[in-house]
Amino acid sequence: MGRRKFKNKKVRYIAIGCSLTAGAAVAAALLPSANAAGEEKTPEQIASMCERSAVLNGKKQTTADFGGGLGDGFAADNCDFVETKFETFDGPTEKVTVDFPNCEPNATEPSKVTTEWTKSIGQGEGKYTVTQQGALGGLFGALSGSWVKHKGTLDLTVRTATASESETREVPVGKVLHVTFTPKMQRMTGEWRVRIDAREATTVTNATPEQNFVAEEVVEGPVIRPGAAGAPGLADGTSKAVLEDC
């Protein structure tokens, strides 16, 4: 969209209880901007308008692209997803193995155990109905296009990524061992920017000014290690052997 200035309508939001890794939706409270005029739109409505726009991320759409019929029209002239931030962070640490005790009364030496585990990690979901995995049509493909340009990211249309490990470890006498895993996560923040072009007056309609709407988007997913020979990589993270007293 270049350096077009959004000057008519802009929506800000407060995200409450965001947990996309667990697949939870985000509740939003709207605060209309002070200079907004006319009817305000909720972020969900703006996302829906984006889905039904004539041009989405530079690609012309037909009504069939969003499940519309022959008599349906477009809700907006243009929509672009504009990424504003990309960051990595540690996800929640979880216990991924059973306990391996070395607690026999006559034990005198460390015991060797093989700790094997596999962990599935949720792979991204947008805040709005049209940007959630499994939604018919929707905007998830547009989000995925921005997501995969980052090194180590997996296509968002894959529902889960997997981390796994098999290690031989020693359990000292009088200790119980288990393994924890902390996934490395990434978060993409951006905006859906929707535009309805200005319309000149006709014999039956009044002229209307250009209208612009903005809805902020957040998507999270695991960091992915490069796969071998083009195969999907495993989810990245840190495993740790934890020792406790018997």
Side-chain angles (χ1 to χ4, degrees):
M1 290 182 61
R3 299 180 62 86
R4 178 183 297 275
K5 186 177 180 182
F6 288 78
K7 57 188 177 181
N8 283 352
K9 297 186 179 182
K10 192 165 186 178
V11 175
R12 292 172 292 157
Y13 76 101
I14 300 172
I16 304 171
C18 179
S19 179
L20 294 177
T21 304
V26 175
L30 300 179
L31 296 174
S33 57
N35 60 353
E39 180 187 0
E40 294 294 339
K41 301 288 186 183
T42 67
E44 183 73 44
Q45 288 172 324
I46 294 170
S48 180
M49 291 169 63
C50 181
E51 178 193 20
R52 300 174 66 89
S53 65
V55 179
L56 175 59
N57 276 357
K59 179 184 176 182
K60 290 184 177 180
Q61 296 203 107
T62 67
T63 56
D65 290 326
F66 48 80
L70 293 176
D72 293 328
F74 297 102
D77 292 290
N78 188 82
C79 178
D80 287 302
F81 177 76
V82 180
E83 182 185 324
T84 56
K85 188 176 182 180
F86 200 92
E87 57 189 322
T88 59
F89 59 97
D90 287 338
T93 298
E94 295 186 44
K95 181 178 178 179
V96 291
T97 67
V98 299
D99 291 333
F100 297 93
N102 189 4
C103 300
E104 294 296 326
N106 59 350
T108 59
E109 296 182 357
S111 61
K112 288 189 176 181
V113 298
T114 299
T115 57
E116 294 184 338
W117 56 269
T118 299
K119 177 69 176 175
S120 293
I121 305 166
Q123 169 64 12
E125 184 170 274
K127 294 193 301 182
Y128 313 117
T129 302
V130 291
T131 58
Q132 293 176 3
Q133 288 177 326
L136 179 64
L139 300 176
F140 212 62
L143 277 176
S144 193
S146 296
W147 182 262
V148 297
K149 75 180 182 182
H150 295 279
K151 184 178 179 180
T153 56
L154 185 67
D155 188 330
L156 282 176
T157 58
V158 178
R159 286 186 171 275
T160 59
T162 301
S164 65
E165 180 186 75
S166 178
E167 292 284 344
T168 299
R169 294 182 165 94
E170 288 191 346
V171 185
V173 175
K175 297 292 184 179
V176 179
L177 177 144
H178 70 265
V179 177
T180 63
F181 178 67
T182 304
K184 189 166 290 296
M185 304 295 293
Q186 49 200 353
R187 178 186 296 124
M188 180 174 68
T189 303
E191 294 177 339
W192 295 112
R193 298 183 179 179
V194 177
R195 188 186 76 243
I196 299 175
D197 292 336
R199 300 287 192 270
E200 295 182 356
T202 69
T203 55
V204 293
T205 62
N206 295 325
T208 57
E210 179 180 300
Q211 300 177 67
N212 294 280
F213 304 88
V214 176
E216 194 159 327
E217 181 70 272
V218 179
V219 177
E220 293 180 0
V223 173
I224 307 299
R225 297 173 181 171
L234 294 176
D236 198 4
T238 303
S239 63
K240 180 181 178 181
V242 178
L243 292 171
E244 298 175 334
D245 294 334
C246 292

